[in-house]
Amino acid sequence: PTAPSVMTMNGHFANVGDAPTKEQYEHGIQVINEEKEFNPNLNTYLQLTKTAQSGFNYHLISVFGSQSTGKSTLLNHLFGTEFGVMAETERRQTTKGIWMSKNKKESAAGSGAQAMADNIMVMDVEGTDGRERGEDQDFERKSALFALATSEVLIVNIWEHQVGLYQGANMGLLKTVFEVNMQLFLKDKHSNPRSLLFFVIRDHIGTTPLANLRNTLIQDLTNIWTSLSKPPGLEKSRIEDYFDFSFAALPHKLLQPGPFLTEVGKLGTRFRVGHRASKDHAQLDQELEGGVFLPEYHRRIPADGFSVYAEGVWDQIVNNKDLDLPTQQELLAQFRCDEISREVLVAFDEAILPFEEKQAEGISLGKPAVLKDLGALGKAARVKSIKAFEVEASRYHKGVYTKKRVELEGKIDTRLKALYQGQLTAAHKSGVTAFSDAVSGAVKAGQKKGASYEFADIVEREKKIALKKFETEARSLAIEGVPWSNFKQQYVLYEKDLDEVSGQLRKEEMRRLATRVERWVRSRLGESVGLEFNKLGSGRGGSGAPETGEKPASEKDLWDRIWTLFTATVKEAETRFIERAKSFDANQDEIEVGLWRLRRKSWGVLRAKIDEEVMEGNILLKLRENFEDKFRYDEAGVPRIWRPTDDIEGMYTKAKDSTLKLIPLLSRFQLAETYAAPNLPEWIGTAPASVDQKDEEDLTPIGGVDEEEGKSLEEEMTVLSEAKRQDLVVRFKKTADGVYVEAKRSAIGGVAQ
Ligand code: GDP
Ligand code: MG
């Protein structure tokens, strides 16, 4: 092949700027330049050649050997690479630093068992005989370390005539390789990676068979190994503890171009994944069967982390630091896991952010919304993110990976948790509101229809619906195996709130019931108490129905009768109240409060009714009727026709006095037998312990019951004040006088006729 002249790159690496193209990397990439700088674009190259995505499915080969021994030529033939080679007319170093190129024959070189391994990366290392860099033995050492830290197979390129020249430049190189290898893997006893030293003998004339050349080389290698001063602890180590060996010979490229190509072709087929025929490493000359890439050679650096790892390794080497590969691998793992985690979180963010924004908006508007499909999409985003992380990151150092995975899950879950809490808060809020509205609505509908509705049934039905809805939401948010996503506690709190709301609604329902019962009491008392007072109008004791044999009511026990019918009415009301309240699951406390309120309110109703009855006009009318009845009717109830001889005055006085006796009786609510007021405080009873302020708000104080109000029972039972009483007496007398005068006149008038 003709030599491309664009290969050298002087000065420093340019930063990655314009979008890189494949053409730019036609000749591969200079990983390390002659200034010993690491190329920051290596990962770009791995990306462009689609190697970065290959995980562990890639292979690294380095080639070593003296200057101008046809190394680059060999690689170009084997792998279709375009490494620079020396023009045959000049004799100048071409390869500087370390170049890398991907195998371009991958798919071309046969198929099936003979197909080359995937993603072979080849490193062409600057020649090492130091002809042009004589002073720089340092680079030889550094590049050997770098190649050993990364490569599975080291090709050692050697002229046939150099074989057996123990003092030759190659042997110096091999000594270096062994030394740095020992230094390197002294620290890494754990993985103890092996490498393959693949000797390719060039310009093989054929007179000495390959087997003989091999024996000579193995002898030399053993000698070198023996001569090495070994670090403490490794004094007894053997070369075969670290290396496998393989050998191949190639004819002279210029003198035998045909056979050269044939043999190179055969050699190419060996770059396959191989297996060790025997587990015994002890045989130095054991030939590998099949491919050269044994799994145990692989450095286990995931392809997408290779550039970072290689850079770290080179940094340590170039700064003469102790190269500690396990530490490098851990650092790499941290770096890459963080990087992968960030990438994964970007995608997660994209999925989750819209929900977060919607939720925040709802909260800021005071209307927290239940977001549709949050559970399913949140879960999917979580699974996708963690899976993506797992695929990429699990190839790295296990301990670091595990730790970083926990960190990632933590980050994801923090976001999801906040979102889910918000979701449940919204579901809670809207659920409670919907429940309250539904119950009130059903009650209202029930009232409208006038039909009896069962409050407890309504509550039970609506609660079931509300709980189910919340449960469905909570379940949709649950993530299997993630304890925080079990929202049992929120469910319990929600149910508690529903119960509180239904308690509140039941209280309102109780109020409505109380109002209905009070109304009933009012109408009942209005009628019956009215009747009792009407009886006063009948001066003959008000026996409205003598034919029934009913005992005529006496004026004296008016209050007894009122008290009796009052307590009986309230008793009946209480029964109704209890029955109804029980039907909607009111508790004992609530019922007690309700009854206590009912008694107090009923007393108020009675008291108002009495006040109405004794209002000036009403009571005066009744007294007049009472008087007239006594005065104008005889014992048999027959109206009197006054005659002048009648003792009008006597009868007037008797009737008047009798009616006047009613006034003190009417003035005070008292029982006939004891002349005492009924025991109202006892009848009402003390306030139940569970009465709260709201229960008392609308209650009118009752004298003798609410002692702190400063009104006595005596005052409570006073129907007519002293002043009113006297005023009533005066007015009544005037009315009676009028009736008397009229009677007198009619008596005289009757005679005159
Ligand atoms: P490198 O420095 O080891 O990479 O060597 P090059 O590949 O650049 O080749 C150096 C010179 O050796 C070039 O002029 C090649 O033409 C020549 N060359 C390549 N292959 C062979 C070979 O198999 N035998 C001989 N004798 N010369 C070769
Ligand atoms: Mg070269």
Side-chain angles (χ1 to χ4, degrees):
T2 51
S5 55
V6 289
M7 287 297 295
T8 51
M9 190 193 262
N10 290 313
H12 305 283
F13 290 111
N15 277 332
V16 193
D18 298 330
T21 59
K22 238 181 156 164
E23 291 68 46
Q24 213 173 307
Y25 295 107
E26 200 180 341
H27 305 292
I29 181 167
Q30 191 177 23
V31 179
I32 286 155
N33 67 7
E34 55 261 58
E35 308 296 328
K36 296 181 189 150
E37 291 170 324
F38 192 90
N39 192 335
N41 301 327
L42 175 56
N43 198 45
T44 308
Y45 179 71
L46 297 178
Q47 299 273 2
L48 276 174
T49 55
K50 307 245 181 310
T51 313
Q53 298 88 331
S54 64
F56 293 127
N57 187 26
Y58 74 98
H59 303 281
L60 244 140
I61 299 174
S62 290
V63 68
F64 278 99
S66 306
Q67 268 299 320
S68 307
T69 47
K71 298 185 299 292
S72 300
T73 305
L74 172 66
L75 296 180
N76 290 347
H77 273 88
L78 278 173
F79 303 110
T81 50
E82 292 169 57
F83 291 122
V85 298
M86 181 184 284
E88 264 136 50
T89 49
E90 302 173 41
R91 288 256 137 189
R92 244 180 345 104
Q93 185 187 8
T94 47
T95 305
K96 291 195 171 166
I98 300 175
W99 281 75
M100 177 191 271
S101 180
K102 188 171 183 178
N103 174 22
K104 294 183 181 176
K105 286 201 169 164
E106 194 168 308
S107 49
S111 60
Q114 299 302 300
M116 288 174 112
D118 299 332
N119 305 308
I120 298 173
M121 307 304 289
V122 189
M123 289 211 285
D124 192 4
V125 181
E126 179 184 312
T128 49
D129 66 354
R131 191 187 308 195
E132 280 146 52
R133 282 204 186 200
E135 75 289 349
D136 201 357
Q137 288 297 311
D138 185 48
F139 186 78
E140 177 180 305
R141 200 176 176 82
K142 286 189 157 81
S143 55
L145 248 174
F146 182 70
L148 270 168
T150 54
S151 309
E152 297 155 64
V153 174
L154 302 177
I155 293 178
V156 180
N157 193 56
I158 187 171
W159 299 124
E160 181 185 6
H161 63 74
Q162 285 181 313
V163 175
L165 295 181
Y166 181 59
Q167 301 306 332
N170 288 296
M171 294 302 132
L173 166 70
L174 286 168
K175 194 170 175 219
T176 304
V177 168
F178 292 161
E179 276 171 1
V180 299
N181 185 75
M182 217 152 10
Q183 172 196 338
L184 199 54
F185 297 115
L186 183 64
K187 290 233 163 64
D188 193 9
K189 291 195 191 87
H190 220 63
S191 57
N192 190 24
R194 298 171 66 80
S195 314
L196 175 70
L197 284 184
F198 197 168
F199 285 87
V200 178
I201 297 159
R202 308 291 292 273
D203 288 1
H204 183 226
I205 299 162
T207 43
T208 316
L210 178 60
N212 295 8
L213 294 171
R214 182 168 68 195
N215 290 339
T216 308
L217 278 170
I218 285 174
Q219 192 52 54
D220 285 354
L221 294 170
T222 314
N223 289 340
I224 294 170
W225 187 264
T226 316
S227 73
L228 283 184
S229 63
K230 300 174 188 69
L234 294 179
E235 294 88 349
K236 292 214 170 114
S237 63
R238 296 166 310 163
I239 189 169
E240 56 266 38
D241 295 338
Y242 300 96
F243 294 101
D244 287 326
F245 295 95
S246 232
F247 301 90
L250 291 176
H252 196 297
K253 175 179 174 271
L254 303 175
L255 301 181
Q256 296 174 276
F260 175 82
L261 287 179
T262 313
E263 287 307 311
V264 168
K266 276 192 204 161
L267 187 56
T269 63
R270 300 201 50 196
F271 292 91
R272 293 178 276 127
V273 175
H275 307 281
R276 189 181 289 285
S278 129
K279 278 210 183 321
D280 184 10
H281 294 178
Q283 272 181 293
L284 261 187
D285 54 352
Q286 170 191 309
E287 199 43 84
L288 295 175
E289 285 170 12
V292 296
F293 296 121
L294 298 199
E296 64 197 86
Y297 302 154
H298 206 286
R299 297 297 187 249
R300 308 300 295 170
I301 305 302
D304 58 359
F306 180 79
S307 64
V308 174
Y309 174 73
E311 187 170 3
V313 165
W314 182 252
D315 185 66
Q316 297 284 305
I317 292 173
V318 96
N319 291 307
N320 294 312
K321 293 194 189 140
D322 242 4
L323 184 56
D324 177 354
L325 292 186
T327 303
Q328 287 301 316
Q329 283 168 16
E330 227 173 287
L331 288 173
L332 168 68
Q334 278 167 15
F335 180 86
R336 278 295 295 149
C337 286
D338 284 342
E339 215 169 49
I340 298 164
S341 184
R342 270 197 300 275
E343 279 166 29
V344 158
L345 280 174
V346 167
F348 178 76
D349 202 60
E350 251 165 52
I352 285 315
L353 201 63
F355 286 108
E356 288 174 331
E357 285 173 347
K358 228 186 260 169
Q359 189 175 78
E361 190 190 310
I363 290 168
S364 74
L365 292 174
K367 300 187 263 193
V370 181
L371 308 172
K372 205 170 165 279
D373 295 335
L374 176 61
L377 293 175
K379 210 175 297 174
R382 186 184 190 274
V383 167
K384 201 174 149 204
S385 303
I386 292 173
K387 191 82 211 156
F389 181 79
E390 189 184 300
V391 167
E392 300 257 310
S394 69
R395 296 191 187 111
Y396 290 92
H397 185 277
K398 278 285 162 297
V400 174
Y401 159 69
T402 309
K403 200 175 119 237
K404 295 288 177 184
R405 184 192 160 117
V406 170
E407 273 178 33
L408 174 68
E409 284 177 356
K411 279 180 190 157
I412 287 176
D413 287 355
T414 304
R415 298 271 297 271
L416 281 185
K417 205 170 164 181
L419 201 48
Y420 285 11
Q421 296 279 18
Q423 176 86 336
L424 284 183
T425 303
H428 183 119
K429 241 177 144 174
S430 69
V432 167
T433 308
F435 170 73
S436 172
D437 290 351
V439 172
S440 308
V443 165
K444 233 169 251 163
Q447 284 170 341
K448 214 179 225 165
K449 272 195 272 169
S452 69
Y453 57 91
E454 288 304 326
F455 182 79
D457 291 350
I458 293 171
V459 166
E460 196 187 84
R461 187 185 70 219
E462 295 302 333
K463 186 180 164 185
K464 227 181 238 164
I465 293 170
L467 281 177
K468 188 82 217 153
K469 208 169 160 207
F470 189 88
E471 191 193 323
T472 306
E473 188 56 46
R475 274 194 198 285
S476 83
L477 298 181
I479 303 165
E480 219 186 281
V482 180
W484 66 259
S485 74
N486 177 339
F487 297 107
K488 241 195 172 90
Q489 211 181 331
Q490 282 83 344
Y491 182 84
V492 170
L493 279 177
Y494 178 65
E495 184 169 14
K496 227 173 114 193
D497 262 16
L498 288 183
D499 287 342
E500 205 158 283
V501 167
S502 58
Q504 209 56 48
L505 292 170
R506 193 175 55 224
K507 241 181 186 167
E508 280 167 31
E509 185 63 11
M510 291 274 279
R511 286 285 162 88
R512 277 192 288 272
L513 168 63
T515 307
R516 284 200 302 276
V517 174
E518 275 163 37
R519 217 181 291 136
W520 180 83
V521 167
R522 190 184 312 273
S523 101
R524 264 319 239 328
L525 288 182
E527 209 170 297
S528 56
V529 173
L531 271 172
E532 288 305 328
F533 274 93
N534 284 347
K535 285 176 190 167
L536 287 178
S538 154
R540 289 151 294 131
S543 60
E547 65 277 7
T548 60
E550 193 187 300
K551 198 179 160 219
S554 84
E555 288 163 353
K556 251 183 23 205
D557 49 23
L558 167 74
W559 294 116
D560 296 77
R561 277 177 279 122
I562 288 178
W563 179 251
T564 303
L565 68 88
F566 168 68
T567 51
T569 304
V570 175
K571 181 111 220 128
E572 197 181 334
E574 284 188 4
T575 310
R576 287 165 169 243
F577 183 86
I578 292 169
E579 211 171 276
R580 197 75 185 105
K582 274 193 174 151
S583 85
F584 47 76
D585 280 350
N587 62 39
Q588 202 50 43
D589 281 352
E590 287 169 328
I591 292 176
E592 262 172 40
V593 170
L595 294 176
W596 177 75
R597 283 174 52 87
L598 176 65
R599 286 193 293 271
R600 294 188 56 120
K601 290 211 151 192
S602 299
W603 171 255
V605 167
L606 175 65
R607 201 58 192 73
K609 179 65 188 165
I610 291 169
D611 283 343
E612 188 195 317
E613 291 293 337
V614 298
M615 251 166 47
E616 229 167 86
N618 290 349
I619 196 67
L620 200 60
L621 194 71
K622 282 201 178 114
L623 290 178
R624 184 195 159 122
E625 281 174 4
N626 181 277
F627 165 75
E628 283 191 353
D629 213 34
K630 287 172 176 163
F631 178 60
R632 286 173 46 182
Y633 294 85
D634 65 14
E635 262 79 72
V638 179
R640 298 184 214 268
I641 307 292
W642 297 109
R643 279 164 303 203
T645 50
D646 287 342
D647 180 11
I648 299 176
E649 199 173 328
M651 269 185 274
Y652 156 71
T653 306
K654 199 175 150 212
K656 185 183 72 177
D657 287 349
S658 169
T659 300
L660 274 173
K661 274 190 199 139
L662 284 177
I663 294 180
L665 176 79
L666 283 170
S667 300
R668 189 171 168 270
F669 200 128
Q670 63 184 21
L671 302 177
E673 215 168 292
T674 54
Y675 290 105
N679 195 344
L680 187 63
E682 191 189 83
W683 179 79
I684 285 175
T686 48
S690 56
V691 164
D692 63 26
Q693 209 195 329
K694 212 171 160 238
D695 290 319
E696 289 185 295
E697 258 164 22
D698 60 336
L699 294 176
T700 327
I702 300 173
V705 175
D706 305 308
E707 270 149 25
E708 65 278 12
E709 298 290 335
K711 196 175 163 198
S712 66
L713 182 63
E714 206 46 52
E715 286 166 285
E716 183 69 34
M717 295 298 171
T718 301
V719 177
L720 293 171
S721 66
E722 188 56 35
K724 277 215 173 123
R725 229 168 89 175
Q726 283 176 17
D727 182 57
L728 192 59
V729 169
V730 173
R731 280 164 179 271
F732 167 68
K733 276 185 177 162
K734 266 189 201 156
T735 313
D737 287 355
V739 175
Y740 168 73
V741 170
E742 200 185 303
K744 256 310 207 205
R745 255 196 218 123
S746 80
I748 296 161
V751 172
Q753 276 171 352

mmCIF file of all heavy atoms in Angstrom, residues 559-580:
data_model
loop_
_atom_site.group_PDB
_atom_site.id
_atom_site.type_symbol
_atom_site.label_atom_id
_atom_site.label_comp_id
_atom_site.label_asym_id
_atom_site.label_seq_id
_atom_site.Cartn_x
_atom_site.Cartn_y
_atom_site.Cartn_z
ATOM 1 N N TRP A 559 -102.721 24.198 85.559
ATOM 2 C CA TRP A 559 -101.275 24.027 85.310
ATOM 3 C C TRP A 559 -100.864 22.551 85.360
ATOM 4 O O TRP A 559 -99.985 22.123 84.638
ATOM 5 C CB TRP A 559 -100.435 24.841 86.303
ATOM 6 C CG TRP A 559 -100.621 26.334 86.124
ATOM 7 C CD1 TRP A 559 -101.152 27.181 87.032
ATOM 8 C CD2 TRP A 559 -100.281 27.084 84.976
ATOM 9 N NE1 TRP A 559 -101.189 28.463 86.546
ATOM 10 C CE2 TRP A 559 -100.657 28.425 85.252
ATOM 11 C CE3 TRP A 559 -99.758 26.787 83.715
ATOM 12 C CZ2 TRP A 559 -100.477 29.460 84.329
ATOM 13 C CZ3 TRP A 559 -99.570 27.835 82.836
ATOM 14 C CH2 TRP A 559 -99.930 29.152 83.123
ATOM 15 N N ASP A 560 -101.575 21.809 86.229
ATOM 16 C CA ASP A 560 -101.270 20.369 86.280
ATOM 17 C C ASP A 560 -101.550 19.724 84.928
ATOM 18 O O ASP A 560 -100.773 18.921 84.421
ATOM 19 C CB ASP A 560 -102.103 19.678 87.364
ATOM 20 C CG ASP A 560 -101.755 20.187 88.737
ATOM 21 O OD1 ASP A 560 -102.209 21.322 89.080
ATOM 22 O OD2 ASP A 560 -100.987 19.505 89.452
ATOM 23 N N ARG A 561 -102.688 20.156 84.393
ATOM 24 C CA ARG A 561 -103.050 19.555 83.117
ATOM 25 C C ARG A 561 -102.072 19.980 82.022
ATOM 26 O O ARG A 561 -101.632 19.182 81.209
ATOM 27 C CB ARG A 561 -104.483 19.960 82.723
ATOM 28 C CG ARG A 561 -105.522 19.058 83.398
ATOM 29 C CD ARG A 561 -106.931 19.509 83.065
ATOM 30 N NE ARG A 561 -107.347 20.623 83.901
ATOM 31 C CZ ARG A 561 -107.745 21.803 83.450
ATOM 32 N NH1 ARG A 561 -107.794 22.037 82.168
ATOM 33 N NH2 ARG A 561 -108.091 22.769 84.278
ATOM 34 N N ILE A 562 -101.720 21.259 82.050
ATOM 35 C CA ILE A 562 -100.766 21.738 81.024
ATOM 36 C C ILE A 562 -99.430 21.011 81.175
ATOM 37 O O ILE A 562 -98.827 20.558 80.205
ATOM 38 C CB ILE A 562 -100.596 23.268 81.129
ATOM 39 C CG1 ILE A 562 -101.875 23.925 80.604
ATOM 40 C CG2 ILE A 562 -99.371 23.737 80.330
ATOM 41 C CD1 ILE A 562 -101.880 25.436 80.688
ATOM 42 N N TRP A 563 -98.971 20.896 82.413
ATOM 43 C CA TRP A 563 -97.679 20.217 82.653
ATOM 44 C C TRP A 563 -97.736 18.776 82.172
ATOM 45 O O TRP A 563 -96.821 18.281 81.521
ATOM 46 C CB TRP A 563 -97.306 20.299 84.147
ATOM 47 C CG TRP A 563 -95.995 19.603 84.451
ATOM 48 C CD1 TRP A 563 -95.845 18.437 85.124
ATOM 49 C CD2 TRP A 563 -94.705 20.030 84.071
ATOM 50 N NE1 TRP A 563 -94.533 18.085 85.200
ATOM 51 C CE2 TRP A 563 -93.791 19.070 84.543
ATOM 52 C CE3 TRP A 563 -94.207 21.141 83.366
ATOM 53 C CZ2 TRP A 563 -92.420 19.175 84.370
ATOM 54 C CZ3 TRP A 563 -92.837 21.232 83.199
ATOM 55 C CH2 TRP A 563 -91.954 20.254 83.688
ATOM 56 N N THR A 564 -98.875 18.150 82.484
ATOM 57 C CA THR A 564 -99.015 16.740 82.109
ATOM 58 C C THR A 564 -99.005 16.575 80.587
ATOM 59 O O THR A 564 -98.281 15.737 80.049
ATOM 60 C CB THR A 564 -100.316 16.160 82.690
ATOM 61 O OG1 THR A 564 -100.285 16.352 84.097
ATOM 62 C CG2 THR A 564 -100.450 14.670 82.376
ATOM 63 N N LEU A 565 -99.829 17.445 79.955
ATOM 64 C CA LEU A 565 -99.857 17.240 78.503
ATOM 65 C C LEU A 565 -98.555 17.680 77.856
ATOM 66 O O LEU A 565 -98.107 17.108 76.857
ATOM 67 C CB LEU A 565 -101.090 17.906 77.860
ATOM 68 C CG LEU A 565 -101.233 19.414 77.813
ATOM 69 C CD1 LEU A 565 -100.561 19.951 76.565
ATOM 70 C CD2 LEU A 565 -102.718 19.769 77.768
ATOM 71 N N PHE A 566 -97.909 18.673 78.486
ATOM 72 C CA PHE A 566 -96.604 19.119 77.972
ATOM 73 C C PHE A 566 -95.584 17.980 78.051
ATOM 74 O O PHE A 566 -94.943 17.624 77.072
ATOM 75 C CB PHE A 566 -96.125 20.337 78.778
ATOM 76 C CG PHE A 566 -94.688 20.690 78.525
ATOM 77 C CD1 PHE A 566 -94.281 21.189 77.282
ATOM 78 C CD2 PHE A 566 -93.713 20.522 79.518
ATOM 79 C CE1 PHE A 566 -92.954 21.507 77.056
ATOM 80 C CE2 PHE A 566 -92.392 20.832 79.286
ATOM 81 C CZ PHE A 566 -92.001 21.338 78.058
ATOM 82 N N THR A 567 -95.448 17.399 79.225
ATOM 83 C CA THR A 567 -94.444 16.340 79.388
ATOM 84 C C THR A 567 -94.780 15.130 78.512
ATOM 85 O O THR A 567 -93.892 14.499 77.950
ATOM 86 C CB THR A 567 -94.296 15.914 80.861
ATOM 87 O OG1 THR A 567 -95.597 15.629 81.380
ATOM 88 C CG2 THR A 567 -93.649 16.998 81.698
ATOM 89 N N ALA A 568 -96.102 14.865 78.399
ATOM 90 C CA ALA A 568 -96.472 13.713 77.565
ATOM 91 C C ALA A 568 -96.121 13.973 76.105
ATOM 92 O O ALA A 568 -95.619 13.092 75.396
ATOM 93 C CB ALA A 568 -97.963 13.433 77.707
ATOM 94 N N THR A 569 -96.406 15.220 75.664
ATOM 95 C CA THR A 569 -96.091 15.564 74.268
ATOM 96 C C THR A 569 -94.588 15.439 74.013
ATOM 97 O O THR A 569 -94.137 14.852 73.024
ATOM 98 C CB THR A 569 -96.552 17.002 73.965
ATOM 99 O OG1 THR A 569 -97.945 17.093 74.254
ATOM 100 C CG2 THR A 569 -96.289 17.360 72.508
ATOM 101 N N VAL A 570 -93.795 15.985 74.936
ATOM 102 C CA VAL A 570 -92.340 15.951 74.750
ATOM 103 C C VAL A 570 -91.841 14.513 74.792
ATOM 104 O O VAL A 570 -90.960 14.122 74.026
ATOM 105 C CB VAL A 570 -91.628 16.843 75.792
ATOM 106 C CG1 VAL A 570 -90.121 16.701 75.676
ATOM 107 C CG2 VAL A 570 -92.041 18.292 75.611
ATOM 108 N N LYS A 571 -92.468 13.748 75.674
ATOM 109 C CA LYS A 571 -92.065 12.339 75.765
ATOM 110 C C LYS A 571 -92.254 11.661 74.396
ATOM 111 O O LYS A 571 -91.387 10.939 73.918
ATOM 112 C CB LYS A 571 -92.919 11.638 76.827
ATOM 113 C CG LYS A 571 -92.572 10.183 77.017
ATOM 114 C CD LYS A 571 -91.917 9.989 78.395
ATOM 115 C CE LYS A 571 -90.778 9.015 78.305
ATOM 116 N NZ LYS A 571 -89.538 9.489 78.860
ATOM 117 N N GLU A 572 -93.401 11.951 73.797
ATOM 118 C CA GLU A 572 -93.682 11.356 72.501
ATOM 119 C C GLU A 572 -92.679 11.848 71.448
ATOM 120 O O GLU A 572 -92.182 11.072 70.639
ATOM 121 C CB GLU A 572 -95.108 11.727 72.086
ATOM 122 C CG GLU A 572 -95.635 10.841 70.989
ATOM 123 C CD GLU A 572 -97.063 11.233 70.568
ATOM 124 O OE1 GLU A 572 -97.789 11.820 71.409
ATOM 125 O OE2 GLU A 572 -97.423 10.961 69.418
ATOM 126 N N ALA A 573 -92.388 13.132 71.546
ATOM 127 C CA ALA A 573 -91.415 13.712 70.613
ATOM 128 C C ALA A 573 -90.051 13.056 70.804
ATOM 129 O O ALA A 573 -89.340 12.758 69.844
ATOM 130 C CB ALA A 573 -91.313 15.223 70.833
ATOM 131 N N GLU A 574 -89.699 12.826 72.046
ATOM 132 C CA GLU A 574 -88.412 12.199 72.337
ATOM 133 C C GLU A 574 -88.338 10.813 71.704
ATOM 134 O O GLU A 574 -87.326 10.438 71.112
ATOM 135 C CB GLU A 574 -88.181 12.089 73.852
ATOM 136 C CG GLU A 574 -87.803 13.405 74.507
ATOM 137 C CD GLU A 574 -87.401 13.239 75.974
ATOM 138 O OE1 GLU A 574 -87.343 12.083 76.449
ATOM 139 O OE2 GLU A 574 -87.154 14.259 76.628
ATOM 140 N N THR A 575 -89.425 10.091 71.834
ATOM 141 C CA THR A 575 -89.458 8.746 71.252
ATOM 142 C C THR A 575 -89.235 8.802 69.745
ATOM 143 O O THR A 575 -88.446 8.052 69.189
ATOM 144 C CB THR A 575 -90.816 8.082 71.555
ATOM 145 O OG1 THR A 575 -91.063 8.219 72.944
ATOM 146 C CG2 THR A 575 -90.802 6.612 71.173
ATOM 147 N N ARG A 576 -89.940 9.749 69.114
ATOM 148 C CA ARG A 576 -89.764 9.907 67.666
ATOM 149 C C ARG A 576 -88.319 10.262 67.335
ATOM 150 O O ARG A 576 -87.735 9.739 66.389
ATOM 151 C CB ARG A 576 -90.638 11.056 67.136
ATOM 152 C CG ARG A 576 -92.095 10.703 67.107
ATOM 153 C CD ARG A 576 -92.915 11.980 66.942
ATOM 154 N NE ARG A 576 -94.287 11.597 66.650
ATOM 155 C CZ ARG A 576 -94.900 11.899 65.506
ATOM 156 N NH1 ARG A 576 -94.282 12.622 64.594
ATOM 157 N NH2 ARG A 576 -96.127 11.500 65.279
ATOM 158 N N PHE A 577 -87.780 11.170 68.129
ATOM 159 C CA PHE A 577 -86.421 11.638 67.875
ATOM 160 C C PHE A 577 -85.426 10.481 67.984
ATOM 161 O O PHE A 577 -84.575 10.276 67.112
ATOM 162 C CB PHE A 577 -86.069 12.742 68.886
ATOM 163 C CG PHE A 577 -84.708 13.340 68.668
ATOM 164 C CD1 PHE A 577 -84.520 14.387 67.768
ATOM 165 C CD2 PHE A 577 -83.600 12.857 69.355
ATOM 166 C CE1 PHE A 577 -83.262 14.935 67.569
ATOM 167 C CE2 PHE A 577 -82.338 13.393 69.150
ATOM 168 C CZ PHE A 577 -82.177 14.441 68.262
ATOM 169 N N ILE A 578 -85.541 9.733 69.059
ATOM 170 C CA ILE A 578 -84.605 8.617 69.282
ATOM 171 C C ILE A 578 -84.667 7.613 68.140
ATOM 172 O O ILE A 578 -83.655 7.191 67.587
ATOM 173 C CB ILE A 578 -84.920 7.906 70.619
ATOM 174 C CG1 ILE A 578 -84.603 8.823 71.791
ATOM 175 C CG2 ILE A 578 -84.127 6.614 70.753
ATOM 176 C CD1 ILE A 578 -85.114 8.329 73.129
ATOM 177 N N GLU A 579 -85.893 7.305 67.777
ATOM 178 C CA GLU A 579 -86.097 6.301 66.734
ATOM 179 C C GLU A 579 -85.417 6.710 65.430
ATOM 180 O O GLU A 579 -84.678 5.956 64.826
ATOM 181 C CB GLU A 579 -87.606 6.220 66.487
ATOM 182 C CG GLU A 579 -88.093 4.860 66.051
ATOM 183 C CD GLU A 579 -89.607 4.871 66.055
ATOM 184 O OE1 GLU A 579 -90.213 4.655 67.140
ATOM 185 O OE2 GLU A 579 -90.163 5.178 64.976
ATOM 186 N N ARG A 580 -85.651 7.942 65.081
ATOM 187 C CA ARG A 580 -85.130 8.465 63.826
ATOM 188 C C ARG A 580 -83.591 8.592 63.897
ATOM 189 O O ARG A 580 -82.883 8.204 62.970
ATOM 190 C CB ARG A 580 -85.800 9.825 63.584
ATOM 191 C CG ARG A 580 -85.699 10.332 62.205
ATOM 192 C CD ARG A 580 -86.635 9.622 61.252
ATOM 193 N NE ARG A 580 -86.325 10.145 59.924
ATOM 194 C CZ ARG A 580 -85.641 9.484 59.001
ATOM 195 N NH1 ARG A 580 -85.307 8.244 59.210
ATOM 196 N NH2 ARG A 580 -85.337 10.047 57.854
#
